[in-house]
Amino acid sequence: EQFKLFLVTRNPNLDIPPDAKPLVAAVNFSVTRSGLEGQLLGVTIQHEKPKLEQEKSALLEKEESMKVSLSKLEKDLLEQLASSQGNILEDSKLIQKLSEIKSSSVEIKDALAASSKLQQKLNEEREVYRDFARTASNVFFLIQSLKSLNYMYQFDLPTYLGLFKNTLHTSISSGDVEDRMRILELDLKRYVFQVVARSLFKADRLTFGTHLVRGIRPETVGEAEWKFFVGLVIADSTRAADRVPEWVPPDRVAALQRLMATMPKLVQQLKLDDEAMWTDWIGSRTPEDRTNFPSKAGNITEFQRILVVQALRPDRVQTAMETFSCVQLGVKSLNLQGLDYAQLSKESTPRTPILFIITPGADPSAVLEDAANKVLGPGRYHQLAMGQGQSEAALRMLHEGAEKGDWVCLQNVHLVVGWLPVIEKTLHSLEPDENFRLWLTTEPHPRFPPILLQQSLKVTFEAPPGLKMNLQNAYDMWDEEFITRKTNGGTARAQLLFIVAWFHAIVQERRTFIPQGWSKFHEFSYADLRSTADIVTAIDNPASPPWETLHGLLDNAIYGGRIDNEFDQRILRTCLQTFYTSSNLSLGDRSARPIPYTHALGKGGVGIVVPEGKTKKEFTNIINSLPDVDTPALFGLPPNIERVVQQANGTRITGQLKTMATADVSAAGWDRERMAVQLQPLLLLWQTITSGNSALKAVSHGMVVEKAAPVDAFVAMESEAALKLVNMVAAAINSADRVLKGADLLTADVKTITTSLAAGRVPDPWDAKWEGPDSPAMWLQAAIKKKLAIDDWLASVRNGAALSKPVFLANMFNPQVFLNALRQQTSRTSEPPVAIDDLRLVCVWGEAASRSMGTLPCALSGLSLQGALFTAGGTLSDARADTPTVVPLPTCIIAFIPKHLDDPQPDAGSVVLPVYEGLDRSKLLAKLRMPCKNSEQSRWIMAGTAIFVSAE
């Protein structure tokens, strides 16, 4: 019966099952906001007013002493009374003792009262610093939420306390307390951002900057505005459909409707009916700039202007956020200055490792060795690449370096995460020289020991961006002899190596423009460059390279082996054909042409020509003359690609901010009252969008699906599938509603679904049925919209007119199945019948296009184009810098025809483009031809031109 079980965990948010909670008494010793606030307040006063803090400590000590004395007197009194014998009134010693106790008690109580008044006065003086301490406490918890972005972004309290104390010591002093607090808060924001941002990858720094501003300066961002910005506000946007001005681009109508429904007062201030004013603004190159914003739009805040940009010009949201964050944080740029490795070593201690979090292909060892030579002198830097069987050598190097005071670098420790706790123990057991420093390099790893991760001084190290830096890195790795050796090719081989480096830089730097440069991130690395250089070195006659063999090896084995998208593979092949060709080399009497896509570079704008290559310097001079900032044209990409990249980055960043804003939903546990408040808007939205229509009703199709035509059967089955989906959602929402009202008990399914919805995520069971928008509100609205559209289409099917009107693929849950049904029906209705495998998809563009094409033509509407411009009856043309990220396409007539028949669009005058379901290019639906000028196919392939079913 006396058995007790004590469980200890470092996880402050342990998820205890409901049936175990009554059996567990949880005691949380982790840091809290109020506790940290008090601790930081003490540190601040200790630095700013040390005498005040000393008086406070002495007063507390005195109070405790008096309270102990008072307690002792009371105890003595009880003992005297208990030991007294006979008549108490006749015991003179007892009466004298009682008088002494009473006198002492009165004195102590008076002293405590005086002490209380003095303490109140001291507290009033301390309160001047409380706002700063509260801000600093909030900053720590803002930093803690970074873990939801990347497991490697973890920081412990001692590290933050050190950062906080450095802020106090290094900030400018001021005689005025309020002015001093303002200076401290500004310096804290700057210092925290600079120190923490260097621990983050560049892509995450804007997210952290915005998150930090939101936490430190909540008055600059309204609660409702923030929730709308990150996608947590739920509103029925259908009611705003009639009020959207005509000048709004089609792809921005839905976003503006959401803004109208959520923030009607803000939209009213904008005066959107002034078409001339807003048309000029929406076509501006910098719409986020305050000077370009419409002057009649009312007195709106900086963040409200970002909301307008997000709705109407999402391609400039990233820049708008950068400007906003820089102003609020008091920094000139979110880009950090170059790392000072000597300064890093000073910030660290012999027992605090410096951890480089690297990206594939990045290696800081060369610059680290240079820094060690400058700080300690030659021969004091030692490095070891970790892997199987290297642990003993690493420990030996660690002990020797600690004894001598050298720098030790262990590379790629993510390969030995199970062994890293040994490093922790070894560091604590050593008595290292004060000059000793341990440097570690690792790629992100979800099982990296958290204690070592939190205690380390973290710095990210990424491969430098840009074509110029990429080429410089390549030539830094090749020495003079390797490039210009006379044996095995001489000059021809040196030129070929320049093409190898140029091609490698092109394919790597196109990743900057995802999803248009490549559809996804492909891990091209230094190993690919080295392998290609080895192949070139092995060529017997570099003056006449086996181009076809080179193309095959690079396409199928080296670079192409990392690609799993057929249209990315096509881009790679086009790059190979463009750069790996004899016309780019000066061989014999033939002069080289300028390297493709470099027409805007070189002297006189004639482009870059591969030098004949007698020395390494000739090549590096060409490289050093390149601009530091790449233009899209260098990669064959359209000038409006920046819009695409910024829009994709803006979507990614708002998604990250949403993740951070909801990170504590699961950790906080399930609470009925809190969940009811959070989910009430979503429940009301569901009730609104499903009332007064057939969304939750079955629509009779009156046909035997097994005997119906394939397209008709598809529409009927799509309607049934849509009904099952919305009924499943309705059942889940109804169950959640009953639990939240207390009518039913909480079940595991309801807990999972409500937790996901409260965190702003679509529940996994719903997402498994249909991968729609990421926001639950938008997912529900899109699902109901599709269900109603399919019901309308089913009515046409009953009238025998399934394909009489243009079809919107965006209104289907399974557009791929529709194309298969169209193909199957074409096979059945063809005269004579044609096997399904003998049919191919063809198309023509425009309203005037012939509807007689094929046995079963079908008109498609609502398609969009990215990477080019197109008008019916014309050909693809270049997008301009001010071209929107996507442009609407005219009606497309598709049909399946026998393979032996000619395509209505000849191969020479057209290019095959991918058709994707969404702008992220994750789901390929089909391939369609679009007319282009003869021999310009590679131009549109390199531009990443693609067609989309939905522009959202």
Short mmCIF file of all heavy atoms in Angstrom, two decimals, residues 69-115:
data_model
loop_
_atom_site.label_atom_id
_atom_site.label_comp_id
_atom_site.label_asym_id
_atom_site.label_seq_id
_atom_site.Cartn_x
_atom_site.Cartn_y
_atom_site.Cartn_z
N SER A 69 11.16 34.42 13.66
CA SER A 69 11.18 34.82 15.08
C SER A 69 9.78 34.84 15.66
O SER A 69 9.54 34.38 16.79
CB SER A 69 11.82 36.20 15.23
OG SER A 69 13.15 36.20 14.78
N LEU A 70 8.82 35.36 14.90
CA LEU A 70 7.43 35.40 15.34
C LEU A 70 6.89 34.00 15.55
O LEU A 70 6.20 33.70 16.53
CB LEU A 70 6.58 36.17 14.34
CG LEU A 70 5.10 36.38 14.69
CD1 LEU A 70 4.98 37.19 15.98
CD2 LEU A 70 4.37 37.08 13.55
N SER A 71 7.23 33.11 14.65
CA SER A 71 6.79 31.72 14.76
C SER A 71 7.41 31.06 15.99
O SER A 71 6.75 30.28 16.70
CB SER A 71 7.17 30.95 13.49
OG SER A 71 6.83 29.60 13.61
N LYS A 72 8.69 31.42 16.26
CA LYS A 72 9.38 30.84 17.43
C LYS A 72 8.73 31.33 18.73
O LYS A 72 8.57 30.58 19.70
CB LYS A 72 10.85 31.21 17.39
CG LYS A 72 11.70 30.53 18.46
CD LYS A 72 13.17 30.84 18.25
CE LYS A 72 14.03 30.12 19.28
NZ LYS A 72 13.72 30.46 20.66
N LEU A 73 8.38 32.65 18.75
CA LEU A 73 7.73 33.19 19.93
C LEU A 73 6.39 32.50 20.21
O LEU A 73 6.05 32.18 21.35
CB LEU A 73 7.51 34.70 19.76
CG LEU A 73 8.76 35.59 19.83
CD1 LEU A 73 8.41 37.03 19.48
CD2 LEU A 73 9.39 35.52 21.21
N GLU A 74 5.64 32.29 19.11
CA GLU A 74 4.35 31.60 19.27
C GLU A 74 4.56 30.18 19.77
O GLU A 74 3.79 29.68 20.62
CB GLU A 74 3.61 31.60 17.93
CG GLU A 74 3.16 32.99 17.49
CD GLU A 74 2.60 32.99 16.08
OE1 GLU A 74 2.76 31.95 15.39
OE2 GLU A 74 2.03 34.00 15.65
N LYS A 75 5.60 29.54 19.30
CA LYS A 75 5.89 28.18 19.76
C LYS A 75 6.30 28.17 21.23
O LYS A 75 5.87 27.29 22.01
CB LYS A 75 7.00 27.59 18.88
CG LYS A 75 7.33 26.13 19.21
CD LYS A 75 8.42 25.61 18.29
CE LYS A 75 8.75 24.17 18.64
NZ LYS A 75 9.86 23.66 17.79
N ASP A 76 7.13 29.17 21.61
CA ASP A 76 7.56 29.27 23.02
C ASP A 76 6.36 29.51 23.94
O ASP A 76 6.28 28.95 25.05
CB ASP A 76 8.57 30.41 23.19
CG ASP A 76 9.91 30.08 22.55
OD1 ASP A 76 10.14 28.89 22.26
OD2 ASP A 76 10.72 31.01 22.35
N LEU A 77 5.42 30.34 23.47
CA LEU A 77 4.23 30.63 24.26
C LEU A 77 3.43 29.36 24.52
O LEU A 77 2.99 29.08 25.66
CB LEU A 77 3.38 31.67 23.55
CG LEU A 77 2.01 31.98 24.16
CD1 LEU A 77 2.18 32.54 25.59
CD2 LEU A 77 1.23 32.97 23.29
N LEU A 78 3.27 28.58 23.49
CA LEU A 78 2.51 27.33 23.64
C LEU A 78 3.23 26.36 24.57
O LEU A 78 2.59 25.66 25.38
CB LEU A 78 2.29 26.69 22.27
CG LEU A 78 1.37 27.45 21.30
CD1 LEU A 78 1.35 26.78 19.93
CD2 LEU A 78 -0.05 27.53 21.87
N GLU A 79 4.55 26.32 24.48
CA GLU A 79 5.31 25.42 25.35
C GLU A 79 5.21 25.86 26.81
O GLU A 79 5.08 25.04 27.73
CB GLU A 79 6.77 25.39 24.90
CG GLU A 79 7.00 24.63 23.59
CD GLU A 79 8.45 24.64 23.17
OE1 GLU A 79 9.26 25.36 23.83
OE2 GLU A 79 8.79 23.96 22.18
N GLN A 80 5.29 27.19 27.05
CA GLN A 80 5.17 27.71 28.42
C GLN A 80 3.80 27.38 29.02
O GLN A 80 3.68 26.98 30.18
CB GLN A 80 5.38 29.23 28.42
CG GLN A 80 6.81 29.67 28.13
CD GLN A 80 7.74 29.45 29.31
OE1 GLN A 80 7.28 29.28 30.45
NE2 GLN A 80 9.04 29.41 29.04
N LEU A 81 2.78 27.58 28.20
CA LEU A 81 1.43 27.29 28.68
C LEU A 81 1.26 25.79 28.95
O LEU A 81 0.60 25.39 29.92
CB LEU A 81 0.39 27.77 27.66
CG LEU A 81 0.25 29.29 27.51
CD1 LEU A 81 -0.66 29.62 26.34
CD2 LEU A 81 -0.30 29.91 28.79
N ALA A 82 1.82 24.99 28.11
CA ALA A 82 1.66 23.54 28.27
C ALA A 82 2.42 23.01 29.48
O ALA A 82 1.99 22.04 30.13
CB ALA A 82 2.14 22.83 26.99
N SER A 83 3.56 23.64 29.81
CA SER A 83 4.39 23.14 30.92
C SER A 83 4.05 23.79 32.25
O SER A 83 4.60 23.43 33.30
CB SER A 83 5.87 23.36 30.60
OG SER A 83 6.13 24.76 30.44
N SER A 84 3.16 24.78 32.25
CA SER A 84 2.78 25.48 33.49
C SER A 84 1.99 24.54 34.40
O SER A 84 1.16 23.75 33.94
CB SER A 84 1.96 26.72 33.15
OG SER A 84 1.51 27.35 34.32
N GLN A 85 2.23 24.66 35.72
CA GLN A 85 1.52 23.83 36.70
C GLN A 85 0.83 24.72 37.73
O GLN A 85 1.30 25.81 38.04
CB GLN A 85 2.51 22.90 37.43
CG GLN A 85 3.18 21.89 36.50
CD GLN A 85 4.17 21.03 37.23
OE1 GLN A 85 4.43 21.23 38.43
NE2 GLN A 85 4.71 20.03 36.52
N GLY A 86 -0.27 24.29 38.22
CA GLY A 86 -1.03 25.07 39.22
C GLY A 86 -1.78 26.20 38.56
O GLY A 86 -2.13 26.16 37.37
N ASN A 87 -2.00 27.24 39.35
CA ASN A 87 -2.76 28.40 38.87
C ASN A 87 -1.87 29.25 37.98
O ASN A 87 -0.81 29.74 38.42
CB ASN A 87 -3.27 29.21 40.07
CG ASN A 87 -4.27 30.27 39.64
OD1 ASN A 87 -4.38 30.58 38.47
ND2 ASN A 87 -4.99 30.82 40.62
N ILE A 88 -2.33 29.46 36.77
CA ILE A 88 -1.53 30.24 35.81
C ILE A 88 -1.34 31.66 36.28
O ILE A 88 -0.26 32.26 36.14
CB ILE A 88 -2.22 30.22 34.42
CG1 ILE A 88 -2.26 28.79 33.86
CG2 ILE A 88 -1.50 31.14 33.44
CD1 ILE A 88 -2.98 28.67 32.55
N LEU A 89 -2.38 32.22 36.93
CA LEU A 89 -2.34 33.62 37.34
C LEU A 89 -1.32 33.85 38.45
O LEU A 89 -0.86 34.98 38.67
CB LEU A 89 -3.73 34.09 37.79
CG LEU A 89 -4.82 34.05 36.70
CD1 LEU A 89 -6.16 34.46 37.29
CD2 LEU A 89 -4.43 34.95 35.55
N GLU A 90 -0.96 32.77 39.19
CA GLU A 90 0.00 32.90 40.28
C GLU A 90 1.42 32.58 39.84
O GLU A 90 2.36 32.67 40.64
CB GLU A 90 -0.41 31.97 41.43
CG GLU A 90 -1.73 32.35 42.08
CD GLU A 90 -2.12 31.37 43.16
OE1 GLU A 90 -1.37 30.37 43.33
OE2 GLU A 90 -3.15 31.58 43.80
N ASP A 91 1.59 32.18 38.57
CA ASP A 91 2.93 31.84 38.04
C ASP A 91 3.57 33.11 37.51
O ASP A 91 3.33 33.53 36.37
CB ASP A 91 2.81 30.78 36.93
CG ASP A 91 4.17 30.21 36.55
OD1 ASP A 91 5.20 30.88 36.81
OD2 ASP A 91 4.19 29.12 35.95
N SER A 92 4.37 33.78 38.34
CA SER A 92 4.97 35.09 37.97
C SER A 92 5.94 34.96 36.79
O SER A 92 6.02 35.85 35.92
CB SER A 92 5.69 35.69 39.18
OG SER A 92 6.69 34.80 39.66
N LYS A 93 6.70 33.85 36.75
CA LYS A 93 7.63 33.66 35.64
C LYS A 93 6.89 33.55 34.31
O LYS A 93 7.30 34.09 33.27
CB LYS A 93 8.48 32.40 35.88
CG LYS A 93 9.48 32.54 37.01
CD LYS A 93 10.34 31.28 37.11
CE LYS A 93 11.38 31.42 38.21
NZ LYS A 93 12.22 30.19 38.35
N LEU A 94 5.77 32.81 34.36
CA LEU A 94 4.97 32.64 33.13
C LEU A 94 4.40 33.98 32.67
O LEU A 94 4.43 34.32 31.49
CB LEU A 94 3.85 31.62 33.37
CG LEU A 94 2.87 31.41 32.19
CD1 LEU A 94 3.61 30.90 30.96
CD2 LEU A 94 1.77 30.45 32.60
N ILE A 95 3.88 34.75 33.65
CA ILE A 95 3.29 36.05 33.30
C ILE A 95 4.36 36.98 32.72
O ILE A 95 4.13 37.69 31.73
CB ILE A 95 2.60 36.67 34.53
CG1 ILE A 95 1.38 35.82 34.93
CG2 ILE A 95 2.20 38.11 34.26
CD1 ILE A 95 0.73 36.25 36.23
N GLN A 96 5.56 36.95 33.33
CA GLN A 96 6.65 37.79 32.82
C GLN A 96 7.04 37.36 31.40
O GLN A 96 7.28 38.19 30.53
CB GLN A 96 7.85 37.68 33.77
CG GLN A 96 9.01 38.60 33.37
CD GLN A 96 10.17 38.49 34.30
OE1 GLN A 96 10.11 37.78 35.31
NE2 GLN A 96 11.24 39.19 34.01
N LYS A 97 7.07 36.03 31.17
CA LYS A 97 7.43 35.52 29.84
C LYS A 97 6.38 35.91 28.80
O LYS A 97 6.69 36.30 27.67
CB LYS A 97 7.57 33.98 29.91
CG LYS A 97 8.14 33.35 28.65
CD LYS A 97 9.58 33.76 28.41
CE LYS A 97 10.19 33.06 27.25
NZ LYS A 97 11.58 33.48 27.01
N LEU A 98 5.10 35.81 29.22
CA LEU A 98 4.02 36.21 28.31
C LEU A 98 4.13 37.68 27.93
O LEU A 98 3.89 38.07 26.79
CB LEU A 98 2.66 35.91 28.96
CG LEU A 98 2.27 34.44 29.09
CD1 LEU A 98 0.97 34.31 29.88
CD2 LEU A 98 2.12 33.81 27.71
N SER A 99 4.49 38.50 28.90
CA SER A 99 4.64 39.94 28.62
C SER A 99 5.77 40.18 27.63
O SER A 99 5.67 41.01 26.71
CB SER A 99 4.90 40.70 29.94
OG SER A 99 3.83 40.56 30.83
N GLU A 100 6.88 39.45 27.84
CA GLU A 100 8.01 39.60 26.91
C GLU A 100 7.62 39.17 25.50
O GLU A 100 7.99 39.81 24.51
CB GLU A 100 9.19 38.78 27.43
CG GLU A 100 9.82 39.30 28.70
CD GLU A 100 10.90 38.38 29.22
OE1 GLU A 100 11.15 37.34 28.53
OE2 GLU A 100 11.50 38.67 30.27
N ILE A 101 6.90 38.04 25.43
CA ILE A 101 6.49 37.54 24.11
C ILE A 101 5.56 38.52 23.43
O ILE A 101 5.67 38.81 22.24
CB ILE A 101 5.81 36.15 24.26
CG1 ILE A 101 6.85 35.10 24.69
CG2 ILE A 101 5.14 35.74 22.97
CD1 ILE A 101 6.26 33.74 25.00
N LYS A 102 4.61 39.07 24.22
CA LYS A 102 3.67 40.03 23.65
C LYS A 102 4.39 41.26 23.13
O LYS A 102 4.11 41.77 22.04
CB LYS A 102 2.64 40.42 24.71
CG LYS A 102 1.60 41.42 24.22
CD LYS A 102 0.60 41.76 25.31
CE LYS A 102 -0.42 42.79 24.78
NZ LYS A 102 -1.40 43.17 25.82
N SER A 103 5.35 41.75 23.94
CA SER A 103 6.11 42.94 23.53
C SER A 103 6.91 42.67 22.25
O SER A 103 6.90 43.47 21.31
CB SER A 103 7.05 43.35 24.67
OG SER A 103 7.84 44.45 24.27
N SER A 104 7.59 41.51 22.24
CA SER A 104 8.38 41.16 21.05
C SER A 104 7.48 40.97 19.82
O SER A 104 7.81 41.37 18.70
CB SER A 104 9.17 39.87 21.31
OG SER A 104 10.07 40.06 22.37
N SER A 105 6.32 40.36 20.04
CA SER A 105 5.38 40.11 18.95
C SER A 105 4.90 41.42 18.33
O SER A 105 4.81 41.57 17.12
CB SER A 105 4.21 39.29 19.45
OG SER A 105 3.24 39.12 18.44
N VAL A 106 4.58 42.39 19.20
CA VAL A 106 4.13 43.70 18.70
C VAL A 106 5.22 44.37 17.89
O VAL A 106 4.98 44.95 16.82
CB VAL A 106 3.67 44.59 19.87
CG1 VAL A 106 3.43 46.02 19.40
CG2 VAL A 106 2.43 44.02 20.53
N GLU A 107 6.48 44.29 18.40
CA GLU A 107 7.60 44.91 17.69
C GLU A 107 7.79 44.26 16.32
O GLU A 107 8.03 44.94 15.32
CB GLU A 107 8.87 44.77 18.54
CG GLU A 107 8.89 45.63 19.78
CD GLU A 107 10.13 45.39 20.61
OE1 GLU A 107 11.00 44.60 20.15
OE2 GLU A 107 10.24 45.96 21.70
N ILE A 108 7.69 42.92 16.29
CA ILE A 108 7.89 42.22 15.02
C ILE A 108 6.77 42.55 14.04
O ILE A 108 7.02 42.79 12.85
CB ILE A 108 7.97 40.70 15.25
CG1 ILE A 108 9.27 40.36 16.01
CG2 ILE A 108 7.91 39.94 13.94
CD1 ILE A 108 9.38 38.90 16.43
N LYS A 109 5.54 42.59 14.51
CA LYS A 109 4.43 42.92 13.62
C LYS A 109 4.56 44.34 13.07
O LYS A 109 4.27 44.60 11.91
CB LYS A 109 3.11 42.75 14.36
CG LYS A 109 2.72 41.29 14.57
CD LYS A 109 1.37 41.16 15.28
CE LYS A 109 0.98 39.70 15.44
NZ LYS A 109 -0.32 39.54 16.15
N ASP A 110 4.99 45.27 13.95
CA ASP A 110 5.20 46.65 13.48
C ASP A 110 6.32 46.68 12.43
O ASP A 110 6.22 47.39 11.42
CB ASP A 110 5.57 47.55 14.67
CG ASP A 110 4.38 47.77 15.60
OD1 ASP A 110 3.24 47.52 15.16
OD2 ASP A 110 4.61 48.18 16.76
N ALA A 111 7.38 45.91 12.70
CA ALA A 111 8.49 45.87 11.74
C ALA A 111 8.05 45.25 10.42
O ALA A 111 8.43 45.70 9.33
CB ALA A 111 9.65 45.07 12.33
N LEU A 112 7.20 44.21 10.48
CA LEU A 112 6.69 43.58 9.24
C LEU A 112 5.80 44.55 8.47
O LEU A 112 5.83 44.59 7.23
CB LEU A 112 5.90 42.31 9.59
CG LEU A 112 6.74 41.07 9.94
CD1 LEU A 112 5.84 39.93 10.42
CD2 LEU A 112 7.54 40.62 8.72
N ALA A 113 4.99 45.33 9.19
CA ALA A 113 4.14 46.32 8.52
C ALA A 113 4.98 47.37 7.83
O ALA A 113 4.72 47.76 6.68
CB ALA A 113 3.20 46.96 9.54
N ALA A 114 6.02 47.84 8.54
CA ALA A 114 6.92 48.84 7.93
C ALA A 114 7.65 48.23 6.74
O ALA A 114 7.85 48.88 5.70
CB ALA A 114 7.92 49.34 8.98
N SER A 115 8.07 46.96 6.91
CA SER A 115 8.75 46.26 5.82
C SER A 115 7.84 46.10 4.62
O SER A 115 8.26 46.22 3.47
CB SER A 115 9.22 44.89 6.30
OG SER A 115 9.79 44.16 5.25
#
